[in-house]
Amino acid sequence: MMKKLEQLYEGKAKKVFATDDPNIVLVDYKDDATAGDGAKKGTIRGKGVVNNKLTNNLMKMLEEKGVPTHYVQELSDRETLVKKVEIVPLEVIVRNVAAGSFSKRLGVAEGTALKCPTLEFSYKNDEYHDPLINHYHALALGLATQQEIDTISSYAFKINDILKEYLLGFNIRLIDFKLEFGRLPDGTIVLADEISPDTCRFWDATTGAHLDKDLFRRDLGGEEEAYQEVMKRLLGV
Ligand code: UDP
């Protein structure tokens, strides 16, 4: 049994603890929610449990299909052991349908299906509000190597193909999502962070109802129920 040692980090939605294995850390998912670059703060009751279980379920499924991830073992409703990685400071965003910042920036109505999936990078930098960059910027700033960017891009599109089909089986349309990748000590790139209604846009495939954090971001209400609904559809609990 791995011991939970000192807290290493506290983010907006998760805390990270050391364990007695230097290569493994423990992630503890919180119910805290933020939106609008931290302008809105609140709680989505039960979110931590949903995001922990959904992330683990999706990462296990992706592993089986050939995408390496940081996942090791679920310990409890909110706690999971993951491989310790150095996070590549990029938010990797894949889109199938126009929404959110893409719609605003480019004047494309939310809900417009894109002719092919898109990939974009934001530089993970709170002070500069995670600015959108291209892959040349990432190289020039030394955020990742060309080889790493190639690997990350190919995993991102593969993950999109797998998730899109998987979610449609639960009558959920995958609009867009954000991924983060990490480096193992030997340099191997693995999927890290989370895959949850905090980091994906999920729309009911029949009604178009939001089943994600946009309910909280946009003060639409019903976010607790929506998170539970996604967990119920995917995990049956
Ligand atoms: N996203 C995220 N964290 C961020 C920004 C975006 O998880 O800091 C996710 C978001 O949930 C959505 C996708 O990335 O599924 C694309 O978000 P977008 O760029 O449209 O930004 P937003 O409109 O959410 O500000």
Side-chain angles (χ1 to χ4, degrees):
M1 187 53 196
M2 198 94 53
K3 262 203 248 114
K4 186 175 184 175
L5 300 177
E6 79 275 12
Q7 185 175 309
L8 299 174
Y9 171 81
E10 176 160 10
K12 293 175 203 124
K14 304 187 276 297
K15 295 179 184 175
V16 179
F17 295 85
T19 69
D20 44 8
D21 181 336
N23 294 313
I24 306 269
V25 294
L26 186 154
V27 180
D28 191 337
Y29 286 76
K30 306 188 287 182
D31 287 350
D32 301 355
T34 61
D37 209 13
K40 174 172 174 168
K41 288 192 172 68
T43 305
I44 302 175
R45 223 182 326 142
K47 172 170 88 75
V49 175
V50 173
N51 289 1
N52 182 42
K53 292 182 180 242
L54 279 178
T55 296
N56 294 340
N57 172 71
L58 295 174
M59 288 212 183
K60 273 190 266 185
M61 193 262 295
L62 290 166
E63 279 279 354
E64 283 167 16
K65 298 188 186 284
V67 179
T69 77
H70 72 165
Y71 175 76
V72 176
Q73 189 193 353
E74 187 169 294
L75 294 183
S76 71
D77 274 0
R78 292 176 184 272
E79 296 170 311
T80 294
L81 295 176
V82 301
K83 292 176 188 164
K84 187 172 188 165
V85 297
E86 178 186 49
I87 290 286
V88 177
L90 295 173
E91 297 204 333
V92 179
I93 296 172
V94 180
R95 301 179 188 271
N96 298 301
V97 176
S101 71
F102 182 96
S103 290
K104 278 212 193 86
R105 205 169 57 240
L106 302 177
V108 180
E110 199 158 80
T112 307
L114 303 175
K115 294 195 195 310
C116 59
T118 67
L119 179 66
E120 69 200 49
F121 299 111
S122 291
Y123 176 25
K124 264 176 76 73
N125 181 320
D126 281 338
E127 198 187 338
Y128 287 87
H129 315 290
D130 300 339
L132 182 68
I133 59 170
N134 68 30
H135 93 268
Y136 294 103
H137 296 127
L139 289 174
L141 295 173
L143 307 182
T145 65
Q146 181 66 57
Q147 200 189 350
E148 287 175 334
I149 291 172
D150 290 345
T151 302
I152 286 170
S153 304
S154 118
Y155 284 154
F157 283 122
K158 177 169 178 171
I159 291 166
N160 183 47
D161 289 342
I162 297 169
L163 284 186
K164 221 174 16 181
E165 190 195 323
Y166 180 76
L167 289 163
L168 208 49
F170 300 96
N171 208 42
I172 292 172
R173 194 168 173 217
L174 179 60
I175 304 303
D176 58 28
F177 57 99
K178 185 262 303 181
L179 301 171
E180 293 184 26
F181 292 86
R183 298 179 186 101
L184 295 179
D186 71 357
T188 305
I189 292 284
V190 297
L191 178 65
D193 194 49
E194 64 180 281
I195 309 177
S196 73
D198 272 14
T199 62
C200 304
R201 285 195 170 92
F202 295 143
W203 292 2
D204 182 277
T206 308
T207 66
H210 295 282
L211 296 171
D212 57 51
K213 198 174 154 191
D214 273 348
L215 296 168
F216 172 82
R217 292 189 189 103
R218 302 177 182 187
D219 296 316
L220 297 170
E223 54 271 24
E224 280 176 29
E225 295 75 10
Y227 277 65
Q228 296 300 325
E229 172 67 19
V230 174
M231 183 161 75
K232 197 170 167 205
R233 286 197 202 179
L234 268 67
L235 307 181
V237 288

